[in-house]
Amino acid sequence: MSGRTRRKLKILFAASEAAPFVKTGGLGDVAGSLPHELRRCGAKVSVILPKYRRIPAEFRDRMRHVTDFYLNLGWRNVWCGVDYLKWHNIDYYFIDNEDYFGRDTIYGDFDDGERFAFFSKAITECIGRVKDLHDTDVLHCNDWQTALSCVFLREFYKGLPYYDNVKTVFSIHNVKFQGQYGDDVMVDICGLADTPAAAQMYVGPKTINFMKGALLYADTITTVSPTYAEELKLPFYGEGLEDIFRERAWKLHGILNGIDTEEFNPRTDAQIVANYSEDDLAGKAACKEALQRELGLDPDPTRPLCVMVSRLTKQKGCDLVQYALGQLLDRSVQVAVLGTGDHQYEDSLRYFDWKYKGHMVARIDFDLALSHRMYAGADIFLMPSQFEPCGLSQMIAMRYGALPVVRETGGLKDSVVPYNKFTGEGTGFSFANFNGDEFAAKVLEACEVFWTDRDAWSGLVRNAMEADFGWRRSANQYLDVYHQLHPEVIPYNKKRSR
């Protein structure tokens, strides 16, 4: 076809965190894994991040200085350095400014609005300043910390060399965090006060919203599961932006996240007592017994062991867990919880730990190695979230043969196939309403299958472990989105899920 070329699309992936450099949550997992899979699927990918003090020295010491310049930020001229590191065949660029990123914190400072406005401006500036980024096709921004890049690109850079071919994708990982600041940021920092279109970023008389700016300016919007994309159009989930999601439904795509299937692999995981697979579950029984003994639970293989690994917050369904615990523990079900969070939930779980010694244990801690052992030793995984944009824990649990009990919301609905007792299909159990009785009934239904139909249970465990949650599927869907923005580029060496 005339005018079309076969080449690799060039993606600049912008995020405020990415494993293994710095990670505080799910965004760090996505930004750490997705670029690598995009590269394997045929794209050329670079990643741009802030150069935080918390990045380990093993990475900082290997960075090479590329360039530096002064960046216009409102009335200021702010110094900006750019460092480079090649890591696992991905080009990483780190935005350096000691005033903004040379501190112990990642988020939560009084000047976060200014810090990430600077980062967003630096991202767009680098496309023109760094030679290897000149031919960028897609700038893929993630969450409010990079949202202003979509605004700056359109308002300040269109028509300049190297920018007219750049299309923007904005990904929402959790709409609850939007980046709302006083409108002095618009004038004093962003330099957008005299830009009529940017006035749409206001969400109140004196408040602007970074995420709203990206939703209005980005060429395409994505979020982390198909169901969450639909939920965002509703007032309960949309957090005040639901009207925009409905208006822009034609450009909103829901793409389910994946997990690192090498890190979470019961065949090879060195952090669990015994390795196992869907074809040989003997090792899982050993992991369960070892976990029961480690946690001080009665080492009884006939008792279902329910595990929860989570932040202890209302969003994660801790209200339902509190409500249901008495019913479950009185039925000889064992429960183990690992996590930290709101004090009311921590104290409640400690009470149940004290009251039901040998049946219930609460580890109020963050322990990555123990979490692996809990996934491997669990029969049932509890995740009754009030809302869940995607969720990774349920995918990890299934990978280890722990059947999740989830509420039908967001990525939980998209990733867990509910058990069908007539066909034997399913990878877990699900319930619809945010209701404690409904949750307790569903957990006891799962226990009933565990107690009375071992063949059905074993079939469900195999189904769960065989489910494909690798990043290949997601990466191909993102490539489809990128190619919709650049139809003149013929897909290059695109690989499909196995």
Side-chain angles (χ1 to χ4, degrees), residues 75-131:
W75 54 267
R76 310 162 182 74
N77 283 319
V78 183
W79 184 86
C80 177
V82 183
D83 291 355
Y84 169 84
L85 175 66
K86 189 89 166 183
W87 179 257
H88 291 180
N89 294 315
I90 296 287
D91 295 326
Y92 287 91
Y93 295 91
F94 295 87
I95 300 301
D96 186 17
N97 182 290
E98 281 294 305
D99 285 343
Y100 292 135
F101 305 126
R103 51 184 86 174
D104 295 330
T105 54
I106 304 301
Y107 311 121
D109 286 347
F110 75 98
D111 59 346
D112 275 3
E114 181 175 340
R115 296 171 68 218
F116 291 106
F118 165 79
F119 179 50
S120 295
K121 191 74 174 288
I123 292 165
T124 51
E125 192 74 19
C126 281
I127 294 173
R129 297 272 188 170
V130 178
K131 182 179 179 182

Side-chain angles (χ1 to χ4, degrees), residues 239-258:
E239 297 290 336
L241 298 176
E242 57 274 4
D243 290 344
I244 297 177
F245 290 119
R246 287 197 296 270
E247 291 166 6
R248 285 161 173 71
W250 59 276
K251 64 160 72 173
L252 176 61
H253 306 266
I255 300 175
L256 189 68
N257 282 342

Side-chain angles (χ1 to χ4, degrees), residues 184-419:
D184 57 313
V185 173
M186 181 85 93
V187 180
D188 190 49
I189 296 167
C190 299
L192 292 165
D194 298 324
T195 307
Q200 300 174 88
M201 293 170 58
Y202 276 86
V203 291
K206 292 288 186 179
T207 306
I208 65 166
N209 185 314
F210 285 18
M211 181 177 286
K212 184 180 180 184
L215 298 180
L216 296 171
Y217 277 84
D219 293 301
T220 289
I221 305 163
T222 72
T223 191
V224 291
S225 70
T227 295
Y228 192 56
E230 294 302 313
E231 290 175 341
L232 288 175
K233 302 170 189 175
L234 304 174
F236 181 78
Y237 298 97
E239 297 290 336
L241 298 176
E242 57 274 4
D243 290 344
I244 297 177
F245 290 119
R246 287 197 296 270
E247 291 166 6
R248 285 161 173 71
W250 59 276
K251 64 160 72 173
L252 176 61
H253 306 266
I255 300 175
L256 189 68
N257 282 342
I259 58 172
D260 186 334
T261 54
E262 293 303 314
E263 178 182 358
F264 301 108
N265 186 350
R267 294 173 180 265
T268 59
D269 192 339
Q271 300 185 79
I272 63 178
V273 170
N275 296 120
Y276 58 95
S277 69
E278 60 268 30
D279 299 318
D280 182 4
L281 292 170
K284 183 163 180 61
C287 287
K288 178 179 177 178
E289 181 181 357
L291 181 65
Q292 287 171 319
R293 293 186 184 280
E294 177 184 357
L295 297 180
L297 300 172
D298 296 336
D300 184 349
T302 68
R303 300 180 66 178
L305 174 56
C306 298
V307 160
M308 185 177 185
V309 179
S310 176
R311 286 183 293 110
L312 303 178
T313 63
K314 183 179 182 67
Q315 182 220 322
K316 294 297 182 179
C318 287
D319 289 332
L320 305 192
V321 174
Q322 280 185 146
Y323 180 86
L325 270 176
Q327 298 179 54
L328 301 179
L329 295 167
D330 288 339
R331 290 286 304 275
S332 297
V333 176
Q334 293 180 335
V335 178
V337 179
L338 172 66
T340 61
D342 297 345
H343 291 306
Q344 60 176 329
Y345 301 122
E346 293 182 352
D347 292 343
S348 173
L349 290 168
R350 289 189 181 101
Y351 165 76
F352 281 102
D353 182 315
W354 167 81
K355 183 177 180 181
Y356 291 92
K357 281 294 180 190
H359 307 280
M360 159 75 193
V361 63
R363 288 289 177 90
I364 309 303
D365 194 9
F366 177 83
D367 188 329
L368 190 59
L370 177 57
S371 72
H372 280 245
R373 298 194 295 275
M374 289 179 74
Y375 286 122
D379 297 304
I380 296 168
F381 188 80
L382 307 179
M383 201 168 177
S385 301
Q386 186 180 41
F387 68 93
E388 195 68 58
C390 176
L392 302 179
S393 297
Q394 80 281 10
M395 300 181 195
I396 299 168
M398 286 186 274
R399 181 88 169 140
Y400 284 83
L403 300 185
V405 176
V406 301
R407 195 173 89 79
E408 294 169 1
T409 183
L412 302 180
K413 184 175 181 179
D414 293 325
S415 58
V416 178
V417 180
Y419 171 54

